[in-house]
Structure formats: structure tokens, C-alpha cells
Amino acid sequence: MDFAHLALTRDPHDRLGLHRADDAWIDARWADPTGRVLVISGTRVRPRDGGIEWLPTAEAPDGVRVLLGDRDGTTWWAVIVDAGLARAEPDQWFPLRGLLPYLSGDAIGAAPLVFHALGLAEWHWVTRHCARCGGTLTPRAAGHELVCEQCGKPQFPRTDPAVIMLIAAGDPGSDEERCLLGRGPQWPDGRFSTLAGFCEPGETLEDAVRREVLEETGVVVSEVSYFGNQPWPLPSSLMLGFLGRAVTEEIRLEDDDVVEARWFTRADMREQAEAGTLVLPGGVSISRSLVEHWYGGPLPGSW
């Protein structure tokens, strides 16, 4: 089974990390007329003509220049400019989640570049001062490092590990086997997804799966196995997918992150998805892949 979430990272770029500190090399590549730039206002991008707009470097505005890398002989960049541009035209500039429709179909190959660019833009946005002394930070290493002008402490982009899991109960593969899905407080009735949460300091990923499921639903999980991962810079996560087996099935909602949780057999899932009373995550998310892996094939509808 070919999982849709893999399409978002199927065509990665060479990030050219060894060249980020070579100013002469950076300037020469920037001067190459074949280079292309994504303009980011704060943390938002303005699509044009139904797609993501990549400008020639000569047309890029002034801002923080970020080297993304090389793909197919082209050097790709981002330039982070003042967030005021996006604030002045709020209906024209979109955060990453709003850009996902522009990264479907033939345009999905650009997703790794856009994820890279917006992940760094989000990091620049929230990292305003030195964590040690509160001093002013200056970008270097082609936008991949911030250094304090007062104490010299460097700052680097961070990625937060988050677990996302499909929990099942009953005899594997049987008609009675069921999986556990939950609904967040901001979601309308019928919209369900796999459970998820962040890994805490000193915790294994498997224990994070067990803890999050227990905290959110009261269900105890024993066996946990790795499924796959997906970069998810909303704003800075790496989603690590797991499959788990429940040893209890009683649901107790004691966490505000989940307002409804239910067990679904495959027949329940098919019937309700076809009727539109069960709406599952979008096709490019690892959550959707986890659900369809357990179900055994594609399902209708998404949000």
C-alpha cells in the first residue's frame, strides 16, 4: 500500500549544509539567474495564480536570506521579510496549513522546500533574543543559525518530537477488531483523528505513546511498534507514527485535548465514512496513513 503522506517528502533536496558558512560561495549562487526564491512575510506566503510563487533571485526583496538547497540543478532560497506585508493583506498571505491545497497534485514535489523554508521562518519568528543573556541575535550560516551579539551563544533550529498513534483492540484482522479515534474540542461533530502528543524530557517514544493515550482516554496500551514519520512544521514538529495494542477498552476522558473518543470496527468506519458522519484527516497526513493501514485500504472523505 502506497501511503499518501510519503508524497510530501518523496523528492528531497540537497540542503548543501557544508556551504552555508561560505559567504563567497553563497554570493555566487545568489547571483546565478537560475536560482529561485520563496518570499515569506513573517511566517506567511502569498500564492499567485493558484500556486506557490518562486521568484528569480534578482527580483527578491531585501530580508533574511535562507539557503534551502539544490534540486535538479537549481539553487532554492527563501527570503524572510517584515510580517507587516502579510498583516496589510491578511486575505492574500497564508500560513503553512493554508498552503497545503497549493501543494497537491503536480505541485507536491515542492513540499520539502516549502516545509524547510517555513520551518526556518517560524524559528526566526519565535527566537527573538538570546536564551542566555537576552541579547540581540544575528543570522548566519545562510539563515540556519542565530548568534548572540553580546555573549556569542549560538542558537539552532529546533524540532519537537511528537508521537501520533493508531491504537487497536481485539483479535488482529478480525471483524471485531477496533481502533481508537478521538475528537478535539475545536472540531465539529463527526471529525475524528488518531491520538497524538509531544514527547517529554527523559521519555522514550514508546512510553510517550502509552502516556498520551492513557492521559487522553484512560486506555492502557502495552505493545507499541514504529510505523513511520512525517515532518510537520506547524510550527516545528516531527510526527513519529506508531501502532499500539490496547489492554483495556474503557474510555475515561480526563484531558481537555480530547472531548470525544470512540472505538470503531472496520465496518463502522466504512459505513460512517461513506455516510459522511465520520470525517477522517486529510490524505497527505500520517494520521490518514495510520488509519488506512489499519483499515486495509482507502476510505472516502477527509478534512
Side-chain angles (χ1 to χ4, degrees):
M1 184 174 177
D2 187 21
F3 297 112
H5 80 275
L6 297 175
L8 286 175
T9 54
R10 189 164 286 144
D11 191 13
H13 49 289
D14 179 352
R15 295 183 176 227
L16 300 172
L18 296 177
H19 294 285
R20 290 172 184 165
D22 186 339
D23 292 340
W25 185 93
I26 291 287
D27 289 342
R29 280 296 183 104
W30 182 262
D32 185 341
T34 66
R36 290 296 180 267
V37 183
L38 180 68
V39 178
I40 304 174
S41 173
T43 61
R44 294 174 176 253
V45 171
R46 178 173 56 190
R48 291 291 182 93
D49 300 324
I52 304 296
E53 182 180 43
W54 295 88
L55 298 175
T57 53
E59 297 179 18
D62 292 334
V64 176
R65 190 167 63 185
V66 176
L67 173 66
L68 301 177
D70 180 277
R71 196 175 69 187
D72 300 328
T74 297
T75 306
W76 301 84
W77 308 81
V79 168
I80 305 171
V81 300
D82 188 86
L85 289 177
R87 285 196 294 265
E89 299 178 307
D91 58 337
Q92 300 295 315
W93 296 78
F94 299 96
L96 178 55
R97 193 177 294 277
L99 295 174
L100 291 178
Y102 299 96
L103 294 172
S104 60
D106 293 340
I108 202 167
L113 290 162
V114 175
F115 278 24
H116 186 179
L118 280 173
L120 282 170
E122 290 276 2
W123 173 63
H124 279 264
W125 179 256
V126 300
T127 312
R128 304 296 184 88
H129 302 282
C130 176
R132 174 187 290 164
C133 72
T136 301
L137 299 173
T138 298
R140 69 181 184 188
H144 290 75
E145 186 176 339
L146 294 170
V147 63
C148 180
E149 295 179 1
Q150 292 180 201
C151 71
K153 177 180 172 61
Q155 309 256 359
F156 300 95
R158 60 175 292 170
T159 297
D160 300 318
V163 292
I164 185 166
M165 44 277 185
L166 190 290
I167 305 302
D171 293 333
S174 70
D175 290 343
E176 291 74 31
E177 187 185 22
R178 48 220 166 268
C179 77
L180 179 64
L181 301 179
R183 182 171 68 84
Q186 71 277 22
W187 302 346
D189 290 344
R191 180 177 290 185
F192 281 83
S193 182
T194 49
L195 304 177
F198 286 100
C199 185
E200 294 187 349
E203 185 176 48
T204 68
L205 296 170
E206 292 81 1
D207 283 342
V209 169
R210 298 183 183 101
R211 175 184 53 77
E212 285 287 346
V213 175
L214 182 64
E215 289 177 355
E216 293 185 345
T217 66
V219 171
V220 177
V221 173
S222 57
E223 177 187 345
V224 174
S225 59
Y226 178 69
F227 175 79
N229 68 85
Q230 180 179 39
W232 199 244
L234 295 167
S236 58
S237 301
L238 175 65
M239 303 299 290
L240 299 147
F242 290 88
L243 303 168
R245 303 298 305 183
V247 295
T248 67
E249 297 184 44
E250 180 186 359
I251 294 173
R252 301 189 310 275
L253 300 180
E254 300 177 356
D255 190 305
D256 292 339
D257 290 342
V258 176
V259 296
E260 183 180 3
R262 291 168 52 192
W263 292 100
F264 294 85
T265 65
R266 291 178 177 85
D268 293 335
M269 189 171 286
R270 179 178 62 253
E271 178 183 352
Q272 294 178 39
E274 289 175 349
T277 54
L278 170 63
V279 185
L280 296 166
V284 296
S285 70
I286 193 171
S287 179
R288 181 73 174 218
S289 295
L290 283 163
V291 170
E292 293 190 342
H293 168 79
W294 176 82
Y295 177 76
L299 285 158
S302 67
W303 52 274

